[in-house]
Amino acid sequence: MKKVVKFGGSSLADAAQFIKVGQIIRSDETRAYVVPSAPGKRSASDTKVTDMLYRTYALAEAEEDFDSALSAIKARYDEIIRGLGLAESLNLSDEFEVIRENFRNKAGKDYAASRGEYLNGIIMAHYLDYEFIDAATVIAFDAEGNFDAERTNQLMRNKLRDLPRAVIPGFYGAKPDGSVQTFSRGGSDITGAIVARAIHADVYENWTDVSGFLVADPRIIDRPAQIDTITYTELRELAYMGASVLHEDSIFPVRKEGIPINIRNTNKPEDSGTWIVESTARKSRFTITGVAGKRGFCCVNILKDMMNSEVGFMRKVLQAFEDQNISIEHVPSGIDTMTVFVQQDEFIDKEQSVVSEIHRLVKPDLLEIESDLALIAVVGRGMKRQRGTAARIFSALAHVNVNCRMIDQGSSELNIIIGVENRDFEKAIRAIYDIFVVTQL
Ligand code: ASP
């Protein structure tokens, strides 16, 4: 049994958090490969070290004085080192001298940000007495900056083959010329998944500050129920609608190998958290696994008599969006009508170009745009072949006076997407949560 354990920034924000992490790792000897993030916020008003690094580097790039900004970062690490009782044996002054020099030489924004994880990795390895591996030597990007999954897998596998325990900092790797490149924000999750794939881990544990995924957004529902087990596909649907705990791209490496992800809470290690799996025989606690949604969509309604018999009509309409590089969310349609849902902020500046192109391409009888809509995804493997799920959703919405503007159910029966007015968004989520969760508890 081998586990990869990734710890997020809030789990490593200060020495007290590091001590909790040390206890978690030492309590299970299969926790052999550790992927740390950079120190995160110690309180709501605090600043993540990654953000401090970006700001400090911006000063360096503008050739302004960045000494005190860099010293403030060093102070955060020194405090951790002291708090762990490592001050005698570990000193990062030389590392900071190198960083200062590289900032002066404008080594790049990615290099700057990556130092957060790099330095935390050095401390973590020292604290645990594990081997430290600089991620620049095992995570490969190509010359254009695209992540090279297969080369990375080779490098990582070769490196870890003879190392029973190691710390690999998250978030960054290097291009063929050696320059450092990072993933997008929150990318340490991806590093953890890459390490898990390379060593064929039994589990990828992702430790954070919540006990896993919740059935609904806690900003809308007071203390929502927790999801015990969720499939990758369900997670994709919910994550797309804004439910975020894990970086989206971290699913691909482990999914390839059938490795489950276990989201765990560093502050409540006794909680079993959420399991993210390829497929499961476990029934979800409720008919739905989760409900999530986003505001800020608009739709373009197109009407034309005999639309249904005009070959290529739909393609031409969609072409107008493609030409303006606008991605499409949903396209519900009728015999003589079709509607295209798009994200409002992406669409608004280009709307008139899209409208005139639709006119040119398909000559509709009527075209109108509606704005300020929200989309809600009701997701669950338990909905498949269940009678009455849609009926329950719509009667719950009717009951609270919410008008449903759009309905879209994928053929997988894994999700039902509902469009409502922005102002009804929270009311709708509450009604759906109530009917599927509260009444079933
Ligand atoms: N430290 C990086 C960030 O703040 C990466 C991570 O934490 O995963 O985005």
Side-chain angles (χ1 to χ4, degrees), residues 160-187:
L160 297 183
R161 188 168 289 139
D162 305 315
L163 286 178
R165 305 182 170 275
V167 172
I168 308 104
F171 192 37
Y172 72 95
K175 293 199 211 172
D177 67 359
S179 59
V180 167
Q181 159 120 12
T182 61
F183 293 110
S184 55
R185 295 300 303 264

Side-chain angles (χ1 to χ4, degrees), residues 110 135-152 155 170-184 187 190-191 194:
D110 282 17
T137 63
V138 280
I139 302 246
F141 291 87
D142 67 17
E144 278 74 51
N146 304 308
F147 172 57
D148 187 340
E150 295 319 310
R151 198 172 132 64
T152 297
L155 289 169
F171 192 37
Y172 72 95
K175 293 199 211 172
D177 67 359
S179 59
V180 167
Q181 159 120 12
T182 61
F183 293 110
S184 55
I190 309 174
T191 310
I194 291 167

Side-chain angles (χ1 to χ4, degrees), residues 6 8-9 37-38 48 50-51 54 113 117 170-171 184-189:
K6 180 261 168 179
S37 284
K48 287 173 150 201
T50 309
D51 292 313
Y54 279 125
E117 275 62 17
F171 192 37
S184 55
R185 295 300 303 264
S188 298
D189 286 341

Side-chain angles (χ1 to χ4, degrees), residues 35-324:
V35 176
S37 284
K41 293 183 179 192
R42 291 160 294 185
S43 64
S45 57
D46 199 13
T47 309
K48 287 173 150 201
V49 164
T50 309
D51 292 313
M52 295 170 86
L53 285 161
Y54 279 125
R55 282 180 213 163
T56 306
Y57 187 70
L59 293 174
E61 221 177 11
E63 293 185 0
E64 285 174 35
D65 177 32
F66 64 90
D67 270 357
S68 64
L70 194 59
S71 301
I73 297 170
K74 182 164 186 295
R76 290 227 26 200
Y77 286 104
D78 285 345
E79 202 182 297
I80 294 173
I81 291 173
R82 266 198 314 278
L84 295 176
L86 301 175
E88 298 287 300
S89 54
L90 182 64
N91 186 331
L92 295 180
S93 297
D94 290 350
E95 291 289 351
F96 270 92
E97 263 327 296
V98 175
I99 293 171
R100 191 183 310 275
E101 201 43 38
N102 286 334
F103 272 37
R104 253 187 224 123
N105 296 332
K106 309 214 173 87
K109 193 163 140 260
D110 282 17
Y111 165 79
S114 75
R115 295 307 88 184
E117 275 62 17
Y118 170 81
L119 295 167
N120 235 15
I122 292 177
I123 300 177
M124 179 66 89
H126 194 79
Y127 180 51
L128 296 172
D129 199 17
Y130 279 24
E131 189 89 19
F132 172 76
I133 294 172
D134 184 350
T137 63
V138 280
I139 302 246
F141 291 87
D142 67 17
E144 278 74 51
N146 304 308
F147 172 57
D148 187 340
E150 295 319 310
R151 198 172 132 64
T152 297
N153 199 36
Q154 276 301 329
L155 289 169
M156 188 74 80
R157 203 183 294 170
N158 290 343
K159 189 76 168 198
L160 297 183
R161 188 168 289 139
D162 305 315
L163 286 178
R165 305 182 170 275
V167 172
I168 308 104
F171 192 37
Y172 72 95
K175 293 199 211 172
D177 67 359
S179 59
V180 167
Q181 159 120 12
T182 61
F183 293 110
S184 55
R185 295 300 303 264
S188 298
D189 286 341
I190 309 174
T191 310
I194 291 167
V195 178
R197 175 184 173 201
I199 63 143
H200 302 290
D202 296 277
V203 186
Y204 168 26
E205 285 182 349
N206 189 296
W207 292 80
T208 176
D209 51 6
V210 290
S211 296
F213 282 91
L214 300 169
V215 174
D217 187 338
R219 287 166 300 187
I220 301 175
I221 306 288
D222 185 30
R223 293 196 290 131
Q226 207 192 293
I227 301 175
D228 304 326
T229 308
I230 184 169
T231 65
Y232 294 128
T233 328
E234 289 173 315
L235 179 64
R236 281 269 302 146
E237 300 279 354
L238 290 171
Y240 184 69
M241 281 297 180
S244 71
V245 170
L246 195 68
H247 193 297
E248 258 202 295
D249 294 344
S250 58
I251 291 176
F252 303 111
V254 284
R255 191 173 185 171
K256 270 197 184 132
E257 298 282 315
I259 300 167
I261 307 175
N262 186 199
I263 307 286
R264 299 287 293 266
N265 188 346
T266 301
N267 305 317
K268 284 192 185 165
E270 61 287 0
D271 287 359
S272 54
T274 298
W275 284 89
I276 307 167
V277 298
E278 173 74 53
S279 184
T280 177
R282 277 176 202 280
K283 298 234 162 21
S284 44
R285 265 168 85 195
F286 313 103
T287 307
I288 63 166
T289 302
V291 51
K294 276 202 273 198
R295 288 192 172 90
F297 292 94
C298 53
C299 68
V300 182
N301 301 323
I302 299 148
L303 192 145
K304 188 176 184 189
D305 279 343
M306 305 303 287
M307 174 194 288
N308 65 326
S309 55
E310 199 176 315
V311 174
F313 187 93
M314 217 179 224
R315 181 187 57 73
K316 288 182 202 151
V317 170
L318 299 185
Q319 170 97 49
F321 290 86
E322 184 180 345
D323 289 350
Q324 295 298 322

